[in-house]
Amino acid sequence: MADILLEVCVDNAASLLAAVEGGADRIELCSSLELGGLTPSFGLMKFAARLPLPAYAMIRPHAGDFVFDANDLAIMRDDIAMAREAGLAGVVLGASVDDGRLDADMLAVLVEHSYGMGLTLHRAFDCAGPDFGNALETAIDLGFERVLTSGGALSAIEGLAVLERLFQQAGGRITIMPGAGINAGNVGLLKSRLPLKEVHGSCSKPMRKVRGPAADLGFARDGQRETDAGLVTTMKAAMG
């Protein structure tokens, strides 16, 4: 069996360096992972592009749902251009209509604007349930390389039955990359049930608690996390 690729999501330089040190294979580059991941800064994009791993930039202009208007579309087009200028390998896209189905028209515009770059469809896909079959065919038709999905559940373990159906339907036409709640302790279960090629995780631990004026004035809060090189290495070993 070929080695399973580990993509690690990060939202700062320290986590990015830890992912590289720990042996990650690819980076999903974001800001504000506590909000599900937003578009990273141009500076972080350029920093990532100088490192020896391919990095894909999240293109998501606001938190909350994945329903975007014309202004959001203009911003995302500019952010894709920024990722290209920074020298990143690809972008991570997603868009929904009000009922959760994929916004195929908007995604087609974004995909066209990303020509020549790698393409991941993010977990906007998971809002498209229960009709994941049509959503998967849309992703294939649009030319995405992979779909990041938990199977429409809070975690990939909970969505395992849906993931099994998605792998079967995909039939090698697109990569299904499980993500959400995956760690070294449970990735073996996924590996035993799915023909995995790629896995997505944060390999993170709680950040140190911030105290002092920054916390007192509301600029810092508890509960944030950062990638740990040791956890990346442990995850890779568990996937092997």
Side-chain angles (χ1 to χ4, degrees), residues 87-171:
L88 295 187
V91 289
V92 183
L93 308 173
S96 305
V97 295
D98 288 336
D99 66 2
R101 289 177 297 114
L102 292 177
D103 187 337
D105 291 338
M106 182 171 289
L107 286 171
V109 173
L110 294 172
V111 166
E112 182 179 10
H113 200 63
S114 307
Y115 180 79
M117 304 182 77
L119 294 172
T120 298
L121 175 61
H122 63 53
R123 290 187 61 209
F125 179 89
D126 288 325
C127 297
D131 192 7
F132 295 113
N134 277 338
L136 185 61
E137 295 303 322
T138 297
I140 293 168
D141 291 345
L142 287 169
F144 281 94
E145 295 174 286
R146 71 186 57 80
V147 175
L148 168 61
T149 175
S150 64
L154 288 175
S155 73
I157 298 300
E158 295 172 81
L160 186 50
V162 172
L163 288 170
E164 288 179 317
R165 293 197 294 271
L166 289 171
F167 270 88
Q168 183 175 19
Q169 178 182 339

Side-chain angles (χ1 to χ4, degrees), residues 58-75:
M58 171 66 73
I59 305 297
R60 185 183 175 210
H62 64 67
D65 61 21
F66 305 102
V67 179
F68 302 122
D69 62 19
N71 292 324
D72 295 320
L73 177 59
I75 291 168

